[in-house]
Amino acid sequence: MIRFIPGLAASAALLVCGLAYGQDIDPDILKAQAGTYLIAPQDGASGCRLTLETGEAISGYSLSGQDSCIKPLPALAKAYSWNFDGNGGVILIDETRKMLARFVENEGQPMKTEGDAPFLLIAAPDGVDRLPTVTSLAGTWTMQRPDGERLCGVTLNGHVDADGNAPLSLSEDCAANVARLKLAVWHIEGFGLTLMGRYGLSLGFDMRADGNFDKSKEEGGKPLSLVRR
Protein backbone atom coordinates (compact mmCIF):
# COMPACT_ATOMS: atom_id res chain seq x y z
CA MET A 1 0.00 0.00 0.00
CA ILE A 2 1.15 3.57 -0.54
CA ARG A 3 2.14 4.61 2.93
CA PHE A 4 4.62 6.81 4.80
CA ILE A 5 7.52 4.66 6.01
CA PRO A 6 6.55 3.60 9.59
CA GLY A 7 8.91 4.80 12.27
CA LEU A 8 11.29 6.50 9.86
CA ALA A 9 10.70 10.03 11.03
CA ALA A 10 10.56 8.81 14.61
CA SER A 11 14.04 7.32 14.22
CA ALA A 12 15.25 10.63 12.87
CA ALA A 13 13.71 12.40 15.83
CA LEU A 14 15.80 10.33 18.21
CA LEU A 15 18.92 11.43 16.38
CA VAL A 16 18.03 15.11 16.40
CA CYS A 17 16.52 15.41 19.88
CA GLY A 18 17.58 18.75 21.31
CA LEU A 19 19.12 19.94 18.06
CA ALA A 20 17.77 22.67 15.82
CA TYR A 21 16.10 21.46 12.65
CA GLY A 22 17.64 18.03 12.46
CA GLN A 23 21.42 18.21 12.49
CA ASP A 24 23.52 15.06 12.07
CA ILE A 25 20.82 12.99 10.38
CA ASP A 26 21.88 9.47 9.51
CA PRO A 27 22.46 9.39 5.71
CA ASP A 28 20.35 6.25 5.33
CA ILE A 29 17.39 7.90 7.06
CA LEU A 30 17.82 10.98 4.90
CA LYS A 31 17.86 8.93 1.69
CA ALA A 32 14.85 6.90 2.77
CA GLN A 33 12.76 10.00 3.44
CA ALA A 34 13.84 11.76 0.24
CA GLY A 35 11.60 11.39 -2.79
CA THR A 36 8.68 12.96 -4.61
CA TYR A 37 5.49 13.55 -2.62
CA LEU A 38 2.08 14.97 -3.30
CA ILE A 39 1.07 17.74 -0.90
CA ALA A 40 -2.70 18.06 -1.06
CA PRO A 41 -5.65 19.16 1.08
CA GLN A 42 -7.46 16.32 2.82
CA ASP A 43 -10.76 17.63 1.45
CA GLY A 44 -9.88 16.52 -2.08
CA ALA A 45 -8.85 19.88 -3.58
CA SER A 46 -5.90 19.86 -5.97
CA GLY A 47 -2.35 19.89 -4.62
CA CYS A 48 1.21 19.92 -5.94
CA ARG A 49 4.27 17.69 -6.00
CA LEU A 50 7.56 18.48 -4.29
CA THR A 51 10.72 16.39 -4.40
CA LEU A 52 12.63 16.20 -1.12
CA GLU A 53 16.31 15.93 -2.03
CA THR A 54 19.43 15.06 -0.06
CA GLY A 55 21.61 18.04 -0.98
CA GLU A 56 22.29 20.62 1.73
CA ALA A 57 20.38 23.90 1.70
CA ILE A 58 19.47 26.73 4.09
CA SER A 59 18.29 25.18 7.38
CA GLY A 60 18.10 21.72 5.90
CA TYR A 61 18.04 19.94 2.57
CA SER A 62 17.22 20.98 -0.97
CA LEU A 63 13.91 20.41 -2.71
CA SER A 64 12.45 20.96 -6.16
CA GLY A 65 9.06 21.20 -7.87
CA GLN A 66 7.97 24.47 -6.28
CA ASP A 67 6.56 25.76 -9.56
CA SER A 68 3.85 23.08 -9.45
CA CYS A 69 2.52 24.77 -6.29
CA ILE A 70 2.09 28.28 -7.74
CA LYS A 71 -1.56 27.82 -8.66
CA PRO A 72 -2.98 25.23 -6.22
CA LEU A 73 -0.91 26.04 -3.10
CA PRO A 74 0.88 29.37 -3.70
CA ALA A 75 2.31 29.61 -0.17
CA LEU A 76 4.31 26.43 -0.74
CA ALA A 77 5.76 27.78 -3.99
CA LYS A 78 8.08 29.76 -1.68
CA ALA A 79 9.54 26.59 -0.11
CA TYR A 80 13.33 26.56 -0.35
CA SER A 81 14.34 23.60 1.81
CA TRP A 82 13.00 20.82 4.02
CA ASN A 83 14.09 19.12 7.21
CA PHE A 84 13.04 16.84 10.04
CA ASP A 85 11.51 18.80 12.92
CA GLY A 86 12.99 16.76 15.77
CA ASN A 87 9.60 15.34 16.79
CA GLY A 88 8.98 12.81 14.05
CA GLY A 89 7.71 15.29 11.48
CA VAL A 90 8.88 17.06 8.34
CA ILE A 91 8.97 20.82 7.82
CA LEU A 92 9.16 23.05 4.76
CA ILE A 93 11.20 26.26 5.07
CA ASP A 94 11.54 29.38 2.89
CA GLU A 95 14.81 31.12 2.06
CA THR A 96 14.49 33.41 5.10
CA ARG A 97 14.38 30.33 7.38
CA LYS A 98 10.68 30.81 8.05
CA MET A 99 8.75 27.55 8.49
CA LEU A 100 5.95 27.30 5.91
CA ALA A 101 4.42 23.99 6.94
CA ARG A 102 4.92 21.21 9.50
CA PHE A 103 3.78 17.68 8.64
CA VAL A 104 3.25 15.60 11.77
CA GLU A 105 3.86 11.86 11.87
CA ASN A 106 0.72 9.76 12.32
CA GLU A 107 1.57 6.16 13.13
CA GLY A 108 0.50 3.92 10.26
CA GLN A 109 -0.95 6.88 8.35
CA PRO A 110 0.36 9.58 6.00
CA MET A 111 1.98 12.65 7.53
CA LYS A 112 -0.23 15.73 7.66
CA THR A 113 -0.46 19.23 9.03
CA GLU A 114 -2.53 19.96 12.11
CA GLY A 115 -5.74 21.98 12.18
CA ASP A 116 -9.25 21.79 10.78
CA ALA A 117 -8.18 21.75 7.12
CA PRO A 118 -5.03 19.56 7.01
CA PHE A 119 -2.68 18.98 4.09
CA LEU A 120 -1.15 15.53 3.58
CA LEU A 121 2.42 14.74 2.55
CA ILE A 122 2.11 11.45 0.71
CA ALA A 123 3.56 9.37 -2.10
CA ALA A 124 1.02 9.32 -4.93
CA PRO A 125 0.40 7.53 -8.23
CA ASP A 126 1.84 9.34 -11.25
CA GLY A 127 -0.51 11.93 -12.70
CA VAL A 128 -2.71 12.18 -9.59
CA ASP A 129 -2.96 15.71 -8.15
CA ARG A 130 -5.53 15.26 -5.37
CA LEU A 131 -6.62 12.86 -2.66
CA PRO A 132 -9.69 10.66 -3.02
CA THR A 133 -12.51 11.43 -0.61
CA VAL A 134 -15.56 9.57 0.63
CA THR A 135 -17.71 11.74 -1.62
CA SER A 136 -15.61 11.11 -4.72
CA LEU A 137 -15.52 7.33 -4.16
CA ALA A 138 -19.15 6.80 -3.18
CA GLY A 139 -20.99 4.79 -5.81
CA THR A 140 -21.02 1.37 -7.46
CA TRP A 141 -17.89 -0.67 -8.10
CA THR A 142 -17.05 -4.13 -9.42
CA MET A 143 -14.64 -6.43 -7.58
CA GLN A 144 -12.85 -8.44 -10.26
CA ARG A 145 -9.75 -10.35 -11.27
CA PRO A 146 -7.22 -8.70 -13.64
CA ASP A 147 -8.64 -10.73 -16.53
CA GLY A 148 -12.08 -9.21 -15.94
CA GLU A 149 -13.67 -12.11 -14.07
CA ARG A 150 -16.37 -10.53 -11.89
CA LEU A 151 -16.46 -11.59 -8.24
CA CYS A 152 -18.88 -9.13 -6.68
CA GLY A 153 -20.67 -5.81 -7.01
CA VAL A 154 -19.79 -3.31 -4.26
CA THR A 155 -21.75 -0.15 -3.46
CA LEU A 156 -19.89 2.38 -1.32
CA ASN A 157 -22.20 4.63 0.69
CA GLY A 158 -21.07 8.22 1.33
CA HIS A 159 -22.45 8.66 4.87
CA VAL A 160 -19.49 8.69 7.27
CA ASP A 161 -19.76 7.88 10.98
CA ALA A 162 -17.76 9.37 13.86
CA ASP A 163 -14.91 6.90 13.24
CA GLY A 164 -14.55 7.89 9.60
CA ASN A 165 -16.19 4.70 8.31
CA ALA A 166 -19.06 4.52 5.83
CA PRO A 167 -21.44 1.63 5.06
CA LEU A 168 -21.11 -0.59 2.00
CA SER A 169 -23.33 -3.23 0.45
CA LEU A 170 -22.56 -6.25 -1.71
CA SER A 171 -24.52 -7.69 -4.61
CA GLU A 172 -26.38 -10.95 -4.02
CA ASP A 173 -24.26 -12.86 -6.54
CA CYS A 174 -20.87 -12.42 -4.83
CA ALA A 175 -18.36 -15.24 -5.07
CA ALA A 176 -18.23 -17.36 -1.92
CA ASN A 177 -14.71 -16.23 -0.97
CA VAL A 178 -15.90 -12.62 -0.95
CA ALA A 179 -19.29 -13.22 0.68
CA ARG A 180 -17.70 -15.00 3.66
CA LEU A 181 -15.85 -11.80 4.62
CA LYS A 182 -19.19 -10.18 5.56
CA LEU A 183 -17.92 -6.81 4.37
CA ALA A 184 -20.00 -4.03 5.89
CA VAL A 185 -18.06 -0.73 6.07
CA TRP A 186 -15.25 1.03 4.24
CA HIS A 187 -12.59 3.58 5.10
CA ILE A 188 -10.29 5.81 3.04
CA GLU A 189 -6.86 6.91 4.28
CA GLY A 190 -4.65 8.74 1.81
CA PHE A 191 -4.69 6.57 -1.31
CA GLY A 192 -5.56 3.42 0.62
CA LEU A 193 -9.11 2.00 0.65
CA THR A 194 -10.07 -0.64 3.22
CA LEU A 195 -13.22 -2.76 3.13
CA MET A 196 -14.00 -4.15 6.59
CA GLY A 197 -16.18 -7.05 7.71
CA ARG A 198 -18.28 -7.63 10.79
CA TYR A 199 -15.86 -10.16 12.29
CA GLY A 200 -12.53 -8.38 11.92
CA LEU A 201 -11.82 -9.50 8.35
CA SER A 202 -10.85 -6.88 5.78
CA LEU A 203 -9.45 -6.21 2.33
CA GLY A 204 -7.01 -3.37 1.61
CA PHE A 205 -6.63 -1.67 -1.78
CA ASP A 206 -4.33 0.99 -3.25
CA MET A 207 -5.47 3.54 -5.80
CA ARG A 208 -4.12 3.45 -9.34
CA ALA A 209 -3.45 6.44 -11.57
CA ASP A 210 -6.78 5.83 -13.36
CA GLY A 211 -8.75 6.12 -10.11
CA ASN A 212 -9.50 2.43 -9.73
CA PHE A 213 -7.92 0.23 -7.04
CA ASP A 214 -5.76 -2.88 -6.85
CA LYS A 215 -5.54 -5.13 -3.81
CA SER A 216 -2.56 -4.19 -1.65
CA LYS A 217 0.49 -6.40 -1.99
CA GLU A 218 0.54 -6.83 1.78
CA GLU A 219 -2.76 -8.71 1.54
CA GLY A 220 -1.21 -11.62 -0.33
CA GLY A 221 -3.25 -14.08 -2.37
CA LYS A 222 -4.52 -13.63 -5.92
CA PRO A 223 -4.62 -10.19 -7.55
CA LEU A 224 -7.91 -8.37 -7.18
CA SER A 225 -9.21 -4.99 -8.35
CA LEU A 226 -12.04 -2.58 -7.60
CA VAL A 227 -13.23 -0.93 -10.81
CA ARG A 228 -15.82 1.82 -10.92
CA ARG A 229 -18.90 0.97 -12.96
Side-chain angles (χ1 to χ4, degrees):
M1 301 178 74
I2 301 173
R3 294 288 185 269
F4 174 71
I5 303 169
L8 179 59
S11 297
L14 292 176
L15 291 174
V16 303
C17 183
L19 299 177
Y21 288 149
Q23 301 171 24
D24 300 326
I25 295 294
D26 184 296
D28 290 336
I29 292 176
L30 180 62
K31 290 178 182 178
Q33 184 63 68
T36 299
Y37 294 86
L38 174 68
I39 299 177
Q42 187 170 274
D43 65 7
S46 59
C48 60
R49 290 175 182 263
L50 291 178
T51 299
L52 309 186
E53 302 171 342
T54 58
E56 294 185 0
I58 293 174
S59 296
Y61 306 97
S62 58
L63 56 80
S64 59
Q66 297 93 322
D67 287 351
S68 71
C69 299
I70 292 174
K71 185 176 180 179
L73 302 174
L76 296 187
K78 299 178 181 179
Y80 184 84
S81 62
W82 72 278
N83 213 324
F84 299 100
D85 71 349
N87 292 305
V90 165
I91 57 174
L92 300 181
I93 310 160
D94 72 10
E95 61 183 358
T96 69
R97 294 182 170 84
K98 176 184 176 181
M99 186 176 68
L100 299 175
R102 181 193 301 273
F103 298 90
V104 178
E105 184 183 22
N106 295 279
E107 186 174 357
Q109 300 178 11
M111 302 178 81
K112 63 182 179 180
T113 59
E114 298 177 310
D116 295 333
F119 290 2
L120 272 67
L121 176 73
I122 184 171
D126 291 341
V128 174
D129 68 351
R130 67 192 65 207
L131 294 162
T133 64
V134 169
T135 300
S136 69
L137 297 184
T140 305
W141 298 71
T142 297
M143 191 180 297
Q144 63 185 47
R145 297 297 184 195
D147 63 4
E149 178 191 358
R150 183 180 184 276
L151 298 183
C152 192
V154 182
T155 299
L156 304 181
N157 188 291
H159 298 290
V160 181
D161 64 20
D163 295 321
N165 301 323
L168 67 81
S169 58
L170 304 179
S171 60
E172 295 182 357
D173 61 347
C174 287
N177 58 338
V178 176
R180 70 177 178 79
L181 299 176
K182 305 294 183 182
L183 299 173
V185 298
W186 65 285
H187 183 87
I188 185 78
E189 188 66 56
F191 291 101
L193 171 65
T194 304
L195 309 182
M196 295 173 283
R198 294 188 178 91
Y199 307 111
L201 299 175
S202 65
L203 280 175
F205 294 83
D206 292 321
M207 198 178 88
R208 307 188 316 220
D210 64 3
N212 294 311
F213 290 80
D214 289 330
K215 187 173 71 170
S216 303
K217 294 180 180 179
E218 290 86 346
E219 293 283 347
K222 295 182 179 179
L224 186 63
S225 298
L226 271 179
V227 178
R228 191 187 290 274
R229 289 187 188 176

